[in-house]
Each structure stands twice: as structure tokens, then as C-alpha cells.
Amino acid sequence: MASLRFPFLFPQPHKTPSSATSDAPSRSFSTVAVAVASGGSALAAAGAIIAITQSPKNPFLENAMNFLLSNFSPNKNHSSPLWGSVSLADNSAPVTESRTGMAFPSILKDTQRLLGIGLRKKAVFGLKNIDVYAYGVYADDVDVKRYLAEKHGRRSVSELQQKEELRNHLMENNIRMTIRLQIVYGRLSINSVRSAFEESVGSRLHKFGGCDNKELLQRFTSQFKDEIKLPRGSIIELSRDHDYILHTTIDGKEVGSIQSKLLCRSILDLYIGDESFDHKANEDVESNLASLLHK
């Protein structure tokens, strides 16, 4: 899986290019066109910028320069949506899970940042792994800093990266989070989802709270009713709100909510715990949490 890193860069103020007289504005336009057609290499973009600054003030050329500066900078990933890594300088840019092509928004619910992406696989008859769904891990900016900065903020980014303690504190604290599941396997039934959660969430409830949690498990799994269809591209969101309220939505419709710190902890452990579905997602979450705490 390609590494996901979020340096949390923010756009710098745009500097208006200085204008100078020139007797060849048409040559400047040609240079811009060549730079764009060439795929935005650093040299071509630089040549276009030089040509523009040598031309008289012209709205078209100024717009062309703005386009080049914002889209063909050497430091910017040019793919759209982005594949495998992203800078949050452009909060609207989606991030794509490279193995499945599923695109995830960088920002969810206005304040929750994408920290990592993983893939849930399932073995069929012990012979073949199928891609069931891709998932994104989101956490609220303000809550992360409020609950984690005091304990972890004094450490450097390099000290914080790859720290399991950081993930554990993210799961334990009253931080708004969302696990967004995007269905990849087009023949997935709601019964399969319900059965899988009965097994996986049930084992976590037992791990963190003991064996007497069958009623809590049944309340959660009963939200996935038989009439629900899950074609490829369907979205299930498991969102922890303040006071440890777990909201479950399917394709934008809330199907239930349960207040339980134990249930929230168990759900999050599936995706960013020590025995999560995709360990690479854990590494990305740790790295990006470290970066967020230093912004």
C-alpha cells in the first residue's frame, strides 16, 4: 500500500507578478500553452512564468500565470484525485486508495481530517483474498489538539511518529472521529456485514469489557437490517461524537445511535488498533497525528 503522509501545509499568500513592457505578448501566450500541454514540468512552468512577467498587464496572461502557480508547482502532486499521498494545502483534494480506486474526501463534516486509508480483505475458502471495502480514518482537528496536545505536544514530530501510545490515546479520549467504509466488493450482502461485525466487534467487546456484552453487540448489529442494499460504492460511516455516542449511517441515512464508550473503543480498535485490518493505515495515522499536533 502506498504510504499516506499529510504534512498539513497551508497555502501561502499569492504574490502578484511584477509587470514589464514587452513587444511580444503573443510569444508569451505560446509559451504558456506549451507549458500546460507539456504536463506541467518545473522547467516549462518556470519558462511560462518568465514569459508572462515580461508581457504587458493582461488579464488572460495573469489568469494563466495563476493557473500555473497553483497547478504546476514542482512541490504539488498533479493527479486528481491524488493517489497514495497528499498535502492538505488543498483541503478539497480527495485521496484515492490505490489498490481499489476508492476516493476519500480529505475533510469530512467540516472539521474532521483524513489521517489514513486502509483496506479490508477477506479470505475465501482459504484460497483467495477479496477486497471487501476501503476505509478512511478521520479525526476532528480541534478535539485532537485539545485532548492530545498537553501530553504529546512537547515531543518532536520524529519522536511522535510510529508511537502506538498516540493511537491508543486517540481511541480512548472523547475525540470526534469517523471510520468511513466504502464498499468495493459488489456482491456484498448486508447479512455478511452483520455477521462480520458480530464476530469482530464481539471479540473486541469481550477483550475490553468482558463477556457480558451480548445485548450491546445485538443493539449494534441490529442496525444493519435485511432490506439494506450495499452495491459497490456504498458508504457506511461509524462516527464517534462527544460523550461517546456512536452514530451509524449508510449512504447518508442514519440507521441508529448508541452511547457507549466500550462500543466506540471496540469499533475504533478494528481499524487503528494493534490488530487492525491494515497495519499501514496505523502508521499513517500515527505520522499524521504527529504532524497535526505541531500545527
Side-chain angles (χ1 to χ4, degrees), residues 159-175:
E159 288 176 322
L160 287 173
Q161 288 177 341
Q162 314 305 325
K163 294 291 185 182
E164 295 179 5
E165 181 185 22
L166 199 55
R167 278 187 294 110
N168 289 332
H169 287 167
L170 179 68
M171 290 187 283
E172 288 289 346
N173 280 280
N174 192 23
I175 296 171

Side-chain angles (χ1 to χ4, degrees), residues 254-266:
E254 183 166 318
V255 296
S257 62
I258 301 171
Q259 184 173 22
S260 169
K261 183 175 181 178
L262 174 60
L263 180 60
C264 290
R265 179 67 171 84
S266 299

Side-chain angles (χ1 to χ4, degrees), residues 28-85:
S28 300
F29 172 76
S30 299
T31 309
V32 174
V34 170
V36 175
S38 66
S41 68
L43 289 177
I49 293 169
I50 292 170
I52 291 168
T53 57
Q54 291 176 345
S55 66
K57 187 174 183 63
N58 183 298
F60 174 81
L61 295 179
E62 288 181 357
N63 290 338
M65 182 176 182
N66 292 338
F67 175 81
L68 285 170
L69 288 174
S70 62
N71 291 279
F72 293 92
S73 166
N75 296 323
K76 184 166 183 177
N77 188 324
H78 302 153
S79 301
S80 178
L82 301 173
W83 290 74
S85 64

